[in-house]
Amino acid sequence: MAQEDIFKKLVAHCKEYGYVFQSSEIYDGLGAVYDYGQYGVELKNNIKKYWWDSMVLLHENVVGIDSAIFMHPTIWKASGHVDAFNDPLIDNKDSKKRYRADVLIEDQLAKYEEKMNKEVEKASKRFGDAFDEKQFRETNPRVLANKEKWNTLHNRFSKALNDSDLAELKQIIEDEGIVCPISGSRNWTDVRQFNLMFATEMGSTADGALKVYLRPETAQGIFVNYLNVQKTGRMKIPFGIAQIGKAFRNEIVARQFIFRMREFEQMEMQFFVRPGSELDWFEKWKETRMKWHRALGFGDENYRFHEHEKLAHYANAAVDVEYKFPFGFKEVEGIHSRTDFDLSQHEQYSGKKIRYFDPELNESYVPYVVETSIGVDRMFLQVISASYCEEQLEKDTRVVLKLPPVLAPVKLAVMPLVKKDGLPEKAREIIDELKFDFICQYDEKDSIGKRYRRQDAIGTPFCVTVDHQTAEDNTVTIRYRDTMEQERVAISELGKIIGEQISYKKLFGKLQ
Ligand code: GAP
């Protein structure tokens, strides 16, 4: 099945099984805003726990905070967001649709890449085991022609971005013959800058209300609390501050379900270091974060680092962790070496000293910062994309979410084989025993096969069936979601079997 079709199916699945709903759906929805349903919220909370504990529990020099969404408006002037948090937008005059100019060009680059990969795929099928991919990529004329186009476009695009040359971005779009996907025409407006921050008003004074912004990143809440945390926590450099919270961006083009939203959640960590050591820490955090992603077992080949074409105004190094979504490799997380830009700016704009006295060097300085920043919703989409599976069985197909058990919303379903003979009561007893440790579901409706399918669809890793033998010897069958294998175990063993499989500790073991 085409990847696009799979993606459509998984979006529909998220709705049908209570993971994600369009916001304000009964009013026809609100663009790029989503609500999480009964299972979605559990999965989201588990992702957040995985991230939070991996930062705060595993690193004794990382602590957390929870800062407000509203902040003093000068913060956004100091951070550069008022002047520079822009996307280059372009309109198609025929369809009246608006696009991000950089995204149109990135999509064109991806097309060249796709063409090269298709050639490789075809040749690999033709030559079988004898196929030498490296040699093929270096010599095949069609691959080389596309590589040449990719390189030329890439260089031109990087230069235009770095020079903030909007006219050149438009020229690239025209030269590449990029058409509007809706109208199919090349009738483009000029490229303009568009600020992504949402503004609102706070209170009212004689001079009028204060214009405040909904934060476009959680990071600034950490920077402006740097001194508070460093002093009250007696933190010594190097140390980090972690935060999970909502962020808001008036995205021009909101696409691909929860990939690009206008209201979303970030998990960010700012790591404060000695000036000059930031690039070493940048490398360390790159490695740590990649391990965190890979530990979930979605396949190492589905991750890659992507160097930024253009460094943000605050960074001296930046890389994205990309995951292979059904719509291609896309950013899930950014790791940035932000220099002393933010703290220095806040020093200047607030007039307060934001320094660290380093007892080993016997001097004060503005710390440098390495940031790791990941979107909860994008991570959620990564987990769902990696887990969604349609399996052909002997008689039918089953749709199953092969979620890592530690992240699954419901850990086990307990099912009486029939609705009589004391089996429902026994099933309830098991739930009463286990519900303090795991989210359990009781299900007695329909055939056992249908019940298994329902649990597969929401990703429940374990189903426990209570039958007539249970009353005799206190054993049940446990059925494993991924293999569909079943085994008979004592009820007293259930807690241990399930506990081991859903253990965060086991997952954290892979990060050490
Ligand atoms: N503090 C740095 C920062 O915000 P960013 O690369 O703009 O950097 C970090 O964002 C992460 O936040 C991204 O890698 C992505 O996972 C998530 N993110 C950004 N914009 C988003 C959006 N509109 N919708 C969903 N997630 C988003």
Side-chain angles (χ1 to χ4, degrees), residues 227-243:
L227 272 186
N228 287 335
V229 175
Q230 193 271 318
K231 288 200 163 27
T232 58
R234 294 181 296 120
M235 307 301 291
K236 289 196 173 53
I237 272 178
F239 74 92
I241 305 179
Q243 166 157 238

Side-chain angles (χ1 to χ4, degrees), residues 15-21 36-43 409 441:
K15 177 170 182 211
E16 191 180 346
Y17 288 93
Y19 272 88
V20 183
F21 306 126
Y36 287 84
Q38 64 276 24
Y39 299 123
V41 69
E42 296 293 344
L43 173 56
Q441 240 183 35

